Amino acid sequence: MTHALPSYLNADAPGPWGVYLQQIDRVTPYLGELAYWVETLKRPKRILIVDIPVRMDNGQVQHFEGYRVHHNTSRGPGKGGIRFHQDVTLSEVMALSGWMTIKNAAVGVPYGGAKGGVRVDPRLLSRGELERLTRRYTSELNALIGPDKDIPAPDVNTNEQIMAWMMDTYSINQGRTATGVVTGKPLSLGGSLGRRDATGRGVFVVGVAAAADAGIPLAGARVAIQGFGNVGNAAARCFHEAGAHIVAVQDVTGTLFNAKGLDIPALCTWVNQGKPLAAYPEAERIPNDAFWDVETEFLVPSALEQQITTANAHRIRTRIVLEGANGPTTPEADDILTQRGITIVPDVLANAGGVTVSYFEWVQDFSSFFWTEDEINGRLDRIMQEAYTHIRDTAREQKVTLRTAAFILACERILKAREMRGLYP
Protein backbone atom coordinates (compact mmCIF):
# COMPACT_ATOMS: atom_id res chain seq x y z
CA MET A 1 0.00 0.00 0.00
CA THR A 2 1.19 3.51 -0.79
CA HIS A 3 0.86 5.94 2.08
CA ALA A 4 0.53 9.70 1.95
CA LEU A 5 3.55 10.47 4.08
CA PRO A 6 3.71 13.68 6.11
CA SER A 7 5.50 16.52 4.36
CA TYR A 8 8.51 16.32 6.69
CA LEU A 9 9.47 12.80 5.49
CA ASN A 10 10.96 11.77 2.16
CA ALA A 11 8.43 9.62 0.31
CA ASP A 12 11.23 7.98 -1.71
CA ALA A 13 13.13 6.98 1.44
CA PRO A 14 10.75 6.93 4.42
CA GLY A 15 13.27 5.11 6.60
CA PRO A 16 12.21 3.06 9.66
CA TRP A 17 8.76 4.70 9.70
CA GLY A 18 8.14 3.03 6.34
CA VAL A 19 8.91 -0.37 7.91
CA TYR A 20 6.45 0.32 10.72
CA LEU A 21 3.74 1.28 8.20
CA GLN A 22 4.28 -1.99 6.31
CA GLN A 23 3.78 -3.90 9.55
CA ILE A 24 0.52 -2.08 10.24
CA ASP A 25 -0.67 -2.84 6.71
CA ARG A 26 0.06 -6.53 7.22
CA VAL A 27 -2.05 -6.73 10.35
CA THR A 28 -5.01 -4.65 9.15
CA PRO A 29 -6.88 -7.54 7.42
CA TYR A 30 -7.07 -9.34 10.78
CA LEU A 31 -8.66 -6.47 12.73
CA GLY A 32 -12.26 -6.82 11.60
CA GLU A 33 -14.45 -3.83 12.43
CA LEU A 34 -11.62 -2.24 14.42
CA ALA A 35 -9.82 -1.61 11.11
CA TYR A 36 -12.08 1.45 10.88
CA TRP A 37 -9.70 3.11 13.37
CA VAL A 38 -6.40 1.83 12.01
CA GLU A 39 -5.43 5.13 10.39
CA THR A 40 -4.85 6.52 13.89
CA LEU A 41 -1.87 4.16 14.16
CA LYS A 42 -0.32 5.59 10.99
CA ARG A 43 0.05 9.12 12.35
CA PRO A 44 1.92 10.17 15.49
CA LYS A 45 -0.21 12.13 17.95
CA ARG A 46 2.40 14.87 18.33
CA ILE A 47 6.02 15.57 17.44
CA LEU A 48 8.41 18.00 19.08
CA ILE A 49 11.70 18.97 17.38
CA VAL A 50 14.02 21.06 19.52
CA ASP A 51 17.28 22.92 19.14
CA ILE A 52 19.73 22.16 21.95
CA PRO A 53 22.48 24.78 22.31
CA VAL A 54 25.34 23.58 24.51
CA ARG A 55 28.33 25.53 25.74
CA MET A 56 31.29 23.25 25.09
CA ASP A 57 34.37 22.99 27.28
CA ASN A 58 36.32 25.16 24.84
CA GLY A 59 33.82 28.02 25.26
CA GLN A 60 32.15 27.55 21.86
CA VAL A 61 28.39 26.99 21.57
CA GLN A 62 27.39 23.91 19.58
CA HIS A 63 23.82 23.15 18.49
CA PHE A 64 22.25 19.67 18.50
CA GLU A 65 18.93 18.49 17.10
CA GLY A 66 16.54 16.68 19.44
CA TYR A 67 13.17 14.94 19.11
CA ARG A 68 10.33 13.59 21.22
CA VAL A 69 7.40 11.81 19.57
CA HIS A 70 4.10 10.80 21.16
CA HIS A 71 2.71 8.15 18.86
CA ASN A 72 -0.47 7.08 20.64
CA THR A 73 -1.80 7.63 24.15
CA SER A 74 -5.19 5.90 23.94
CA ARG A 75 -4.27 3.39 26.66
CA GLY A 76 -2.24 5.60 28.97
CA PRO A 77 0.66 8.06 29.19
CA GLY A 78 3.49 7.90 26.68
CA LYS A 79 6.39 5.58 27.48
CA GLY A 80 9.62 5.14 25.60
CA GLY A 81 13.35 5.60 25.70
CA ILE A 82 15.76 8.38 24.86
CA ARG A 83 18.68 7.60 22.57
CA PHE A 84 21.80 9.67 21.94
CA HIS A 85 23.25 8.72 18.56
CA GLN A 86 24.80 10.61 15.68
CA ASP A 87 22.49 8.95 13.14
CA VAL A 88 19.16 9.54 14.89
CA THR A 89 16.47 10.75 12.49
CA LEU A 90 12.87 11.83 12.90
CA SER A 91 11.71 8.80 10.89
CA GLU A 92 13.58 6.53 13.29
CA VAL A 93 12.12 8.15 16.41
CA MET A 94 8.63 8.01 14.88
CA ALA A 95 9.01 4.30 14.16
CA LEU A 96 10.39 3.59 17.61
CA SER A 97 7.44 5.41 19.18
CA GLY A 98 5.06 3.33 17.08
CA TRP A 99 6.75 0.10 18.12
CA MET A 100 6.49 1.24 21.75
CA THR A 101 2.73 1.65 21.33
CA ILE A 102 2.50 -1.91 20.01
CA LYS A 103 4.93 -3.32 22.59
CA ASN A 104 3.14 -1.84 25.59
CA ALA A 105 -0.19 -3.18 24.38
CA ALA A 106 1.26 -6.58 23.47
CA VAL A 107 2.39 -7.27 27.04
CA GLY A 108 -0.52 -5.42 28.62
CA VAL A 109 1.19 -2.55 30.44
CA PRO A 110 -1.03 0.58 30.62
CA TYR A 111 1.04 2.92 28.48
CA GLY A 112 0.97 4.49 25.08
CA GLY A 113 4.02 4.78 22.86
CA ALA A 114 6.62 7.55 22.83
CA LYS A 115 10.30 7.92 21.96
CA GLY A 116 13.03 10.54 21.97
CA GLY A 117 16.46 11.11 20.56
CA VAL A 118 19.29 13.56 20.10
CA ARG A 119 21.61 13.62 17.08
CA VAL A 120 24.92 13.43 18.91
CA ASP A 121 27.84 11.05 19.32
CA PRO A 122 28.14 11.04 23.12
CA ARG A 123 31.63 9.51 22.90
CA LEU A 124 32.87 12.89 21.65
CA LEU A 125 31.52 14.81 24.65
CA SER A 126 33.07 15.30 28.06
CA ARG A 127 30.98 14.40 31.10
CA GLY A 128 30.21 18.08 31.67
CA GLU A 129 29.14 18.59 28.06
CA LEU A 130 26.95 15.48 28.22
CA GLU A 131 25.28 16.74 31.39
CA ARG A 132 24.62 20.18 29.90
CA LEU A 133 23.17 18.64 26.73
CA THR A 134 20.92 16.31 28.76
CA ARG A 135 19.65 19.07 31.01
CA ARG A 136 18.93 21.49 28.15
CA TYR A 137 17.16 18.74 26.17
CA THR A 138 15.06 17.88 29.24
CA SER A 139 14.13 21.54 29.74
CA GLU A 140 12.98 21.74 26.12
CA LEU A 141 10.78 18.67 26.69
CA ASN A 142 9.33 20.08 29.91
CA ALA A 143 5.84 20.66 28.51
CA LEU A 144 5.58 17.13 27.09
CA ILE A 145 6.96 14.87 29.82
CA GLY A 146 5.67 14.13 33.30
CA PRO A 147 4.79 11.16 35.54
CA ASP A 148 1.22 11.13 34.22
CA LYS A 149 1.98 12.34 30.66
CA ASP A 150 5.14 10.81 29.23
CA ILE A 151 7.82 8.85 31.07
CA PRO A 152 11.22 8.55 29.30
CA ALA A 153 13.73 5.76 29.96
CA PRO A 154 17.24 4.78 28.81
CA ASP A 155 17.90 3.56 25.29
CA VAL A 156 20.95 3.49 23.01
CA ASN A 157 23.89 5.40 24.59
CA THR A 158 21.85 6.57 27.59
CA ASN A 159 21.91 5.12 31.09
CA GLU A 160 20.87 5.67 34.71
CA GLN A 161 23.12 8.74 35.01
CA ILE A 162 21.35 10.39 32.07
CA MET A 163 18.01 9.52 33.70
CA ALA A 164 19.20 11.03 37.01
CA TRP A 165 20.04 14.31 35.26
CA MET A 166 16.68 14.28 33.46
CA MET A 167 14.78 13.63 36.69
CA ASP A 168 16.67 16.36 38.53
CA THR A 169 16.16 18.92 35.75
CA TYR A 170 12.44 18.21 35.49
CA SER A 171 12.10 18.34 39.29
CA ILE A 172 13.89 21.69 39.51
CA ASN A 173 11.61 23.14 36.84
CA GLN A 174 8.56 21.81 38.70
CA GLY A 175 9.73 22.98 42.11
CA ARG A 176 9.33 19.50 43.60
CA THR A 177 11.03 16.12 43.45
CA ALA A 178 9.25 14.00 40.83
CA THR A 179 11.00 10.64 40.74
CA GLY A 180 8.31 9.10 38.50
CA VAL A 181 9.09 11.30 35.50
CA VAL A 182 11.67 8.81 34.19
CA THR A 183 12.48 5.16 34.75
CA GLY A 184 15.81 3.40 34.61
CA LYS A 185 17.09 5.67 37.38
CA PRO A 186 19.74 4.84 40.02
CA LEU A 187 18.37 3.00 43.05
CA SER A 188 19.20 6.01 45.22
CA LEU A 189 16.71 8.13 43.24
CA GLY A 190 13.77 5.75 43.13
CA GLY A 191 15.10 3.28 40.60
CA SER A 192 14.02 -0.34 40.63
CA LEU A 193 15.98 -3.46 41.35
CA GLY A 194 16.22 -5.61 38.23
CA ARG A 195 15.74 -2.72 35.77
CA ARG A 196 19.23 -2.75 34.28
CA ASP A 197 19.04 -6.39 33.17
CA ALA A 198 15.30 -6.45 32.52
CA THR A 199 15.36 -6.22 28.71
CA GLY A 200 18.02 -8.91 28.34
CA ARG A 201 16.29 -11.11 30.89
CA GLY A 202 13.03 -10.77 29.00
CA VAL A 203 14.78 -11.80 25.78
CA PHE A 204 16.02 -14.91 27.57
CA VAL A 205 12.61 -15.76 29.08
CA VAL A 206 10.79 -15.72 25.74
CA GLY A 207 13.75 -17.51 24.17
CA VAL A 208 13.31 -20.35 26.64
CA ALA A 209 9.60 -20.53 25.84
CA ALA A 210 10.23 -20.53 22.08
CA ALA A 211 12.93 -23.19 22.48
CA ALA A 212 10.54 -25.43 24.40
CA ASP A 213 8.00 -25.16 21.57
CA ALA A 214 10.71 -26.01 19.04
CA GLY A 215 12.16 -28.89 21.08
CA ILE A 216 15.54 -27.19 21.46
CA PRO A 217 17.39 -27.99 24.72
CA LEU A 218 19.10 -24.98 26.27
CA ALA A 219 22.11 -26.91 27.54
CA GLY A 220 24.72 -26.73 24.80
CA ALA A 221 22.61 -24.53 22.52
CA ARG A 222 24.69 -22.13 20.44
CA VAL A 223 23.92 -18.42 20.67
CA ALA A 224 25.18 -15.46 18.62
CA ILE A 225 24.56 -11.97 19.97
CA GLN A 226 24.87 -8.70 18.06
CA GLY A 227 25.35 -5.80 20.44
CA PHE A 228 26.90 -6.07 23.89
CA GLY A 229 25.30 -3.17 25.70
CA ASN A 230 22.78 -3.66 28.49
CA VAL A 231 20.53 -5.93 26.41
CA GLY A 232 23.12 -8.18 24.79
CA ASN A 233 25.23 -8.34 27.92
CA ALA A 234 22.33 -9.41 30.15
CA ALA A 235 20.98 -11.89 27.60
CA ALA A 236 24.45 -13.42 27.24
CA ARG A 237 24.75 -13.89 31.00
CA CYS A 238 21.29 -15.48 31.25
CA PHE A 239 21.95 -17.93 28.40
CA HIS A 240 25.41 -18.73 29.74
CA GLU A 241 24.05 -19.48 33.22
CA ALA A 242 21.46 -21.80 31.63
CA GLY A 243 24.22 -23.86 30.00
CA ALA A 244 24.09 -22.42 26.49
CA HIS A 245 27.28 -21.58 24.58
CA ILE A 246 27.68 -17.98 23.39
CA VAL A 247 29.74 -18.69 20.26
CA ALA A 248 29.76 -15.20 18.68
CA VAL A 249 29.42 -11.65 19.94
CA GLN A 250 29.57 -8.47 17.88
CA ASP A 251 29.62 -4.80 18.82
CA VAL A 252 30.81 -1.58 17.21
CA THR A 253 34.47 -2.53 17.83
CA GLY A 254 34.34 -5.89 16.04
CA THR A 255 33.26 -9.54 16.18
CA LEU A 256 34.46 -12.38 18.42
CA PHE A 257 34.02 -16.11 17.77
CA ASN A 258 34.70 -19.24 19.80
CA ALA A 259 33.11 -22.48 18.64
CA LYS A 260 33.27 -23.92 22.17
CA GLY A 261 31.63 -20.86 23.71
CA LEU A 262 33.02 -17.61 25.06
CA ASP A 263 33.78 -17.18 28.74
CA ILE A 264 30.97 -14.71 29.34
CA PRO A 265 31.85 -13.70 32.94
CA ALA A 266 35.43 -12.97 31.83
CA LEU A 267 34.23 -11.09 28.74
CA CYS A 268 31.84 -8.99 30.84
CA THR A 269 34.67 -8.14 33.23
CA TRP A 270 36.86 -7.17 30.27
CA VAL A 271 34.19 -4.86 28.78
CA ASN A 272 33.26 -3.38 32.17
CA GLN A 273 36.89 -2.32 32.56
CA GLY A 274 36.42 -0.09 29.51
CA LYS A 275 38.38 -2.33 27.15
CA PRO A 276 37.10 -2.82 23.59
CA LEU A 277 35.23 -6.08 23.11
CA ALA A 278 37.12 -6.91 19.92
CA ALA A 279 40.46 -6.80 21.79
CA TYR A 280 39.44 -9.63 24.13
CA PRO A 281 42.27 -12.16 23.77
CA GLU A 282 40.49 -15.45 24.51
CA ALA A 283 38.57 -15.61 21.22
CA GLU A 284 39.06 -15.48 17.48
CA ARG A 285 38.50 -12.13 15.78
CA ILE A 286 36.44 -12.63 12.60
CA PRO A 287 35.22 -10.14 9.96
CA ASN A 288 32.02 -8.36 10.96
CA ASP A 289 30.12 -9.67 7.94
CA ALA A 290 31.03 -13.26 8.89
CA PHE A 291 28.86 -12.89 12.00
CA TRP A 292 25.80 -13.71 9.87
CA ASP A 293 27.30 -17.02 8.73
CA VAL A 294 27.79 -18.46 12.24
CA GLU A 295 25.62 -21.54 12.77
CA THR A 296 23.50 -21.31 15.93
CA GLU A 297 20.26 -22.26 17.61
CA PHE A 298 19.62 -18.65 18.74
CA LEU A 299 20.50 -15.40 16.96
CA VAL A 300 19.99 -12.30 19.12
CA PRO A 301 20.23 -8.99 17.21
CA SER A 302 20.34 -6.42 20.03
CA ALA A 303 21.99 -3.41 18.40
CA LEU A 304 20.18 -1.07 15.97
CA GLU A 305 17.41 -1.21 13.37
CA GLN A 306 17.52 -2.90 9.95
CA GLN A 307 20.45 -5.23 10.60
CA ILE A 308 18.83 -8.30 9.01
CA THR A 309 17.97 -7.45 5.41
CA THR A 310 17.63 -9.12 2.02
CA ALA A 311 21.42 -8.87 1.79
CA ASN A 312 22.06 -11.34 4.62
CA ALA A 313 18.77 -13.12 5.42
CA HIS A 314 19.59 -16.03 3.07
CA ARG A 315 22.90 -16.60 4.88
CA ILE A 316 21.60 -16.79 8.42
CA ARG A 317 21.79 -20.29 9.88
CA THR A 318 19.81 -20.38 13.08
CA ARG A 319 16.61 -21.86 14.51
CA ILE A 320 15.26 -18.87 16.43
CA VAL A 321 15.81 -15.12 16.06
CA LEU A 322 15.22 -13.20 19.29
CA GLU A 323 14.91 -9.51 18.49
CA GLY A 324 16.59 -7.74 21.39
CA ALA A 325 16.82 -4.51 19.36
CA ASN A 326 13.92 -2.51 17.97
CA GLY A 327 13.23 -3.13 14.30
CA PRO A 328 16.36 -5.19 13.50
CA THR A 329 14.65 -7.16 10.70
CA THR A 330 13.15 -5.59 7.58
CA PRO A 331 9.77 -6.92 6.38
CA GLU A 332 11.39 -8.42 3.28
CA ALA A 333 14.00 -10.23 5.40
CA ASP A 334 11.23 -11.31 7.77
CA ASP A 335 9.54 -13.09 4.86
CA ILE A 336 12.78 -14.78 3.79
CA LEU A 337 13.50 -16.11 7.29
CA THR A 338 9.92 -17.32 7.71
CA GLN A 339 10.01 -19.13 4.37
CA ARG A 340 13.22 -20.83 5.52
CA GLY A 341 11.50 -22.12 8.65
CA ILE A 342 13.28 -19.80 11.08
CA THR A 343 11.15 -18.65 14.03
CA ILE A 344 11.31 -14.92 14.75
CA VAL A 345 10.29 -13.77 18.22
CA PRO A 346 9.55 -10.11 17.38
CA ASP A 347 10.97 -7.06 19.12
CA VAL A 348 7.56 -5.94 20.41
CA LEU A 349 7.55 -9.09 22.54
CA ALA A 350 11.18 -10.16 22.91
CA ASN A 351 12.55 -6.88 24.27
CA ALA A 352 9.47 -5.85 26.27
CA GLY A 353 11.11 -6.82 29.56
CA GLY A 354 12.62 -3.34 29.85
CA VAL A 355 9.34 -1.45 29.65
CA THR A 356 7.68 -4.03 31.90
CA VAL A 357 10.14 -3.40 34.73
CA SER A 358 9.98 0.33 33.94
CA TYR A 359 6.27 -0.01 34.66
CA PHE A 360 7.14 -1.68 37.97
CA GLU A 361 9.51 1.18 38.77
CA TRP A 362 6.84 3.78 37.98
CA VAL A 363 4.33 1.98 40.23
CA GLN A 364 6.89 1.77 43.05
CA ASP A 365 7.69 5.49 42.74
CA PHE A 366 4.02 6.42 42.99
CA SER A 367 3.46 4.21 46.03
CA SER A 368 6.87 4.86 47.65
CA PHE A 369 6.96 1.14 48.37
CA PHE A 370 9.70 -0.92 46.77
CA TRP A 371 9.79 -4.61 45.94
CA THR A 372 12.61 -7.14 46.23
CA GLU A 373 14.53 -8.23 43.16
CA ASP A 374 13.04 -11.72 43.42
CA GLU A 375 9.54 -10.22 43.41
CA ILE A 376 10.39 -8.09 40.38
CA ASN A 377 11.98 -10.94 38.41
CA GLY A 378 9.07 -13.23 39.29
CA ARG A 379 6.51 -10.70 38.05
CA LEU A 380 8.58 -10.01 34.92
CA ASP A 381 8.94 -13.70 34.08
CA ARG A 382 5.21 -14.29 34.53
CA ILE A 383 4.18 -11.35 32.31
CA MET A 384 6.66 -12.30 29.57
CA GLN A 385 5.66 -15.98 29.62
CA GLU A 386 1.95 -15.17 29.55
CA ALA A 387 2.43 -12.68 26.71
CA TYR A 388 4.42 -15.23 24.71
CA THR A 389 1.80 -17.94 25.24
CA HIS A 390 -1.05 -15.64 24.21
CA ILE A 391 0.79 -14.46 21.10
CA ARG A 392 1.88 -18.00 20.17
CA ASP A 393 -1.68 -19.30 20.50
CA THR A 394 -2.96 -16.44 18.34
CA ALA A 395 -0.29 -17.21 15.72
CA ARG A 396 -1.38 -20.85 15.59
CA GLU A 397 -5.08 -19.98 15.47
CA GLN A 398 -4.68 -17.37 12.72
CA LYS A 399 -1.86 -19.25 10.94
CA VAL A 400 0.40 -16.20 11.00
CA THR A 401 3.87 -15.37 12.28
CA LEU A 402 4.55 -14.41 15.89
CA ARG A 403 5.11 -10.82 14.73
CA THR A 404 1.73 -10.58 13.03
CA ALA A 405 0.09 -12.25 16.02
CA ALA A 406 1.68 -9.74 18.40
CA PHE A 407 0.46 -6.88 16.21
CA ILE A 408 -3.05 -8.39 16.06
CA LEU A 409 -3.37 -8.55 19.83
CA ALA A 410 -1.78 -5.17 20.39
CA CYS A 411 -3.77 -3.36 17.72
CA GLU A 412 -7.02 -4.86 18.99
CA ARG A 413 -6.30 -3.51 22.47
CA ILE A 414 -5.25 -0.07 21.24
CA LEU A 415 -8.07 0.38 18.73
CA LYS A 416 -10.70 -0.90 21.16
CA ALA A 417 -9.55 1.81 23.57
CA ARG A 418 -9.70 4.35 20.72
CA GLU A 419 -13.21 3.21 19.81
CA MET A 420 -14.47 3.34 23.41
CA ARG A 421 -13.02 6.80 23.99
CA GLY A 422 -14.47 8.12 20.74
CA LEU A 423 -13.48 11.33 18.98
CA TYR A 424 -13.58 14.71 20.69
CA PRO A 425 -15.05 17.00 19.60
Side-chain angles (χ1 to χ4, degrees):
M1 180 181 293
T2 300
H3 292 277
L5 288 176
S7 60
Y8 45 80
L9 292 185
N10 181 355
D12 295 327
W17 180 248
V19 173
Y20 167 79
L21 290 178
Q22 288 182 61
Q23 293 169 341
I24 295 298
D25 285 342
R26 290 184 177 207
V27 76
T28 301
Y30 300 94
L31 298 179
E33 293 182 356
L34 289 174
Y36 174 83
W37 297 95
V38 78
E39 288 294 318
T40 63
L41 295 175
K42 299 178 184 179
R43 293 163 177 79
K45 180 178 178 65
R46 61 175 64 93
I47 295 171
L48 179 66
I49 303 174
V50 298
D51 173 52
I52 308 166
V54 178
R55 182 173 285 107
M56 309 303 282
D57 291 344
N58 63 7
Q60 305 257 330
V61 174
Q62 191 168 338
H63 291 256
F64 300 90
E65 189 173 305
Y67 312 100
R68 188 69 181 174
V69 176
H70 290 176
H71 175 259
N72 184 284
T73 57
S74 293
R75 298 179 63 253
K79 188 79 184 78
I82 301 283
R83 63 176 49 183
F84 289 174
H85 195 276
Q86 61 273 19
D87 296 325
V88 165
T89 65
L90 179 57
S91 172
E92 177 184 41
V93 179
M94 288 169 60
L96 291 165
S97 70
W99 287 322
M100 283 303 303
T101 299
I102 300 299
K103 184 186 306 181
N104 290 325
V107 295
V109 297
Y111 290 134
K115 206 74 178 187
V118 177
R119 287 180 63 85
V120 60
D121 184 346
R123 296 171 299 178
L124 304 180
L125 303 185
S126 70
R127 179 182 172 88
E129 290 168 340
L130 186 61
E131 179 177 356
R132 293 193 290 276
L133 177 135
T134 300
R135 289 184 181 276
R136 182 57 185 253
Y137 173 61
T138 306
S139 293
E140 297 293 345
L141 299 187
N142 195 64
L144 255 61
I145 63 175
D148 57 353
K149 293 194 294 186
D150 176 15
I151 307 102
D155 196 73
V156 175
N157 292 332
T158 56
N159 54 26
E160 62 181 25
Q161 178 61 76
I162 301 293
M163 295 302 107
W165 288 330
M166 291 192 73
M167 188 276 283
D168 182 66
T169 305
Y170 177 83
S171 296
I172 290 170
N173 287 335
Q174 294 293 310
R176 61 184 175 85
T177 297
T179 57
V181 67
V182 297
T183 58
K185 304 180 296 296
L187 292 176
S188 59
L189 294 175
S192 176
L193 293 166
R195 174 60 184 87
R196 185 177 300 176
D197 288 349
T199 307
R201 182 182 178 90
V203 168
F204 170 74
V205 169
V206 296
V208 170
D213 284 342
I216 300 172
L218 275 184
R222 297 163 297 177
V223 184
I225 298 178
Q226 185 196 40
F228 208 64
N230 274 359
V231 181
N233 186 303
R237 284 184 276 115
C238 289
F239 274 107
H240 178 78
E241 290 166 8
H245 296 156
I246 316 302
V247 296
V249 174
Q250 180 182 91
D251 76 354
V252 68
T253 67
T255 306
L256 299 178
F257 174 76
N258 187 327
K260 295 181 179 179
L262 293 155
D263 184 339
I264 294 301
L267 181 59
C268 289
T269 299
W270 176 271
V271 172
N272 290 341
Q273 291 172 345
K275 300 175 183 177
L277 178 137
Y280 179 68
E282 303 300 322
E284 177 187 354
R285 176 86 179 264
I286 63 174
N288 286 340
D289 192 53
F291 174 83
W292 305 108
D293 298 316
V294 176
E295 189 171 355
T296 61
E297 279 67 53
F298 297 95
L299 174 63
V300 187
S302 54
L304 295 172
E305 306 87 42
Q306 301 184 60
Q307 298 299 298
I308 301 177
T309 67
T310 54
N312 57 17
H314 289 289
R315 296 163 48 192
I316 290 172
R317 296 183 295 167
T318 195
R319 299 278 300 280
I320 298 173
V321 174
L322 300 171
E323 292 188 333
N326 292 306
T329 310
T330 66
E332 296 79 13
D334 207 322
D335 292 340
I336 293 170
L337 295 178
T338 299
Q339 289 162 8
R340 295 180 56 213
I342 296 172
T343 298
I344 305 166
V345 183
D347 49 0
V348 294
L349 170 61
N351 67 34
V355 74
T356 301
V357 176
S358 277
Y359 168 55
F360 297 164
E361 180 178 334
W362 183 68
V363 169
Q364 292 171 88
D365 284 339
F366 269 117
S367 63
S368 296
F369 182 81
F370 291 84
W371 309 336
T372 67
E373 189 160 6
D374 285 344
E375 288 175 319
I376 288 162
N377 287 339
R379 287 181 167 104
L380 169 63
D381 293 356
R382 176 181 58 79
I383 287 175
M384 295 298 292
Q385 289 163 354
E386 289 178 353
Y388 173 83
T389 299
H390 200 178
I391 289 168
R392 179 205 62 198
D393 291 348
T394 300
R396 290 174 175 175
E397 178 184 329
Q398 299 281 1
K399 296 181 173 54
V400 295
T401 64
L402 291 175
R403 189 186 311 280
T404 299
F407 270 72
I408 290 172
L409 288 172
C411 290
E412 285 177 347
R413 291 168 180 167
I414 299 159
L415 298 179
K416 186 64 177 177
R418 175 71 278 168
E419 179 181 60
M420 294 303 294
R421 291 181 63 163
L423 291 179
Y424 172 79

